[in-house]
Amino acid sequence: MKFFVDTADTADIADLAATGLLDGVTTNPSLIAKSGRDFLEVTREICALVEGPVSAEVVALDHETMMKEAEILRKISDNVAIKVPLTLDGLKTCKKLTDDGTMVNVTLCFSANQALLAAKAGATFISPFVGRHDDNGFDGMALIEDIRLIYDNYAFETEILVASVRHPIHVLESARIGADVATMPPSVIRSLFKHVLTDKGIEGFMADWAKTGQSIG
Ligand code: G3P
């Protein structure tokens, strides 16, 4: 499963990219606003920090203006994936862009039928929002299971990009189901490294090692 980070904070992205475990980045208008940075400038900077796909979202709601915005965004770098909302105009834009060889991430997916439409529109990635699904009394991970089943039934190549991830269990369940990508806030990625028994084990080994009076090298 690929790991994307869901942020426009370049310091966090650089820090996580240094682990060698980061496969891409997703942003959205809310994350750009949170960064306080110029959209095009920060997207350019992020594209230089990672080799994998960097999702940059259009803000227009109609197809023609979406295409104009996508035209500007895709010129930033070869690793830009244009993010479009799951609407009729968004999917029309998706079809046109992917037919042209541009990566597209279809976002704000809340049903398996929407995911089916995105795959038929040739989406590179579909982003089902599991956290927001859970928040509203639905089962986010059941949605991922349904999409996996449908995509496998028809051998769709669209990658399931689990979004709105809130905690490590979402990541674990995504991997169990066989999602292709999980995009996570930096805090969730960092929490995956941690285990209380790992810390306790290190503490014990260090204490015992100190008793030997030895050093390596
Ligand atoms: O990037 C889209 C998605 O991950 C947003 O997450 O936490 O705002 O529901 P959230």
Side-chain angles (χ1 to χ4, degrees):
M1 187 168 73
K2 292 176 213 167
F3 279 18
F4 287 6
V5 65
D6 197 29
T7 186
D9 183 319
T10 51
D12 267 330
I13 295 167
D15 185 53
L16 291 166
T19 65
L21 301 176
L22 194 62
D23 302 300
V25 178
T26 50
T27 67
N28 62 39
S30 305
L31 294 170
I32 296 296
K34 193 174 165 194
S35 78
R37 304 269 315 268
D38 175 79
F39 181 26
L40 300 186
E41 182 192 276
V42 76
T43 304
R44 202 169 294 118
E45 207 173 305
I46 295 169
C47 287
L49 286 171
V50 294
E51 281 180 20
V54 174
S55 292
E57 189 160 342
V58 297
V59 289
L61 298 177
D62 66 286
H63 169 64
E64 275 184 17
T65 322
M66 280 183 192
M67 285 304 296
K68 281 184 193 150
E69 292 178 354
E71 212 46 64
I72 294 167
L73 295 173
R74 70 175 168 179
K75 280 200 187 99
I76 292 178
S77 174
D78 285 346
N79 59 337
V80 165
I82 306 298
K83 209 170 177 186
V84 299
L86 209 153
T87 59
L88 194 147
D89 285 71
L91 293 187
K92 205 168 150 184
T93 305
C94 171
K95 182 87 180 81
K96 193 137 195 202
L97 289 170
T98 52
D99 279 353
D100 208 19
T102 298
M103 289 186 286
V104 175
N105 178 358
V106 177
T107 190
L108 290 165
C109 169
F110 293 94
S111 81
N113 276 339
Q114 286 182 317
L116 177 58
L117 288 172
K120 285 175 71 68
T124 317
F125 303 103
I126 181 69
S127 289
F129 278 29
V130 293
R132 294 190 197 185
H133 213 61
D134 292 351
D135 293 344
N136 285 278
F138 299 99
D139 182 345
M141 296 321 300
L143 173 61
I144 304 303
E145 278 178 335
D146 279 351
I147 299 172
R148 180 75 284 157
L149 178 72
I150 291 166
Y151 281 11
D152 289 349
N153 280 348
Y154 299 98
F156 281 123
E157 287 178 8
T158 300
E159 294 191 30
I160 302 173
L161 192 167
V162 181
S164 188
V165 165
R166 300 276 162 77
H167 47 69
I169 304 301
H170 277 150
V171 182
L172 178 64
E173 288 298 317
S174 299
R176 278 194 177 133
I177 294 165
D180 302 284
V181 190
T183 189
M184 301 164 254
S187 60
V188 172
I189 298 187
R190 292 194 178 104
S191 74
L192 299 177
F193 289 90
K194 292 189 188 303
H195 197 290
V196 64
L197 294 179
T198 305
D199 294 344
K200 203 175 163 199
I202 289 173
E203 205 182 295
F205 286 156
M206 290 305 100
D208 289 339
W209 178 249
K211 290 178 205 158
T212 70
Q214 298 178 48
S215 64
I216 300 172

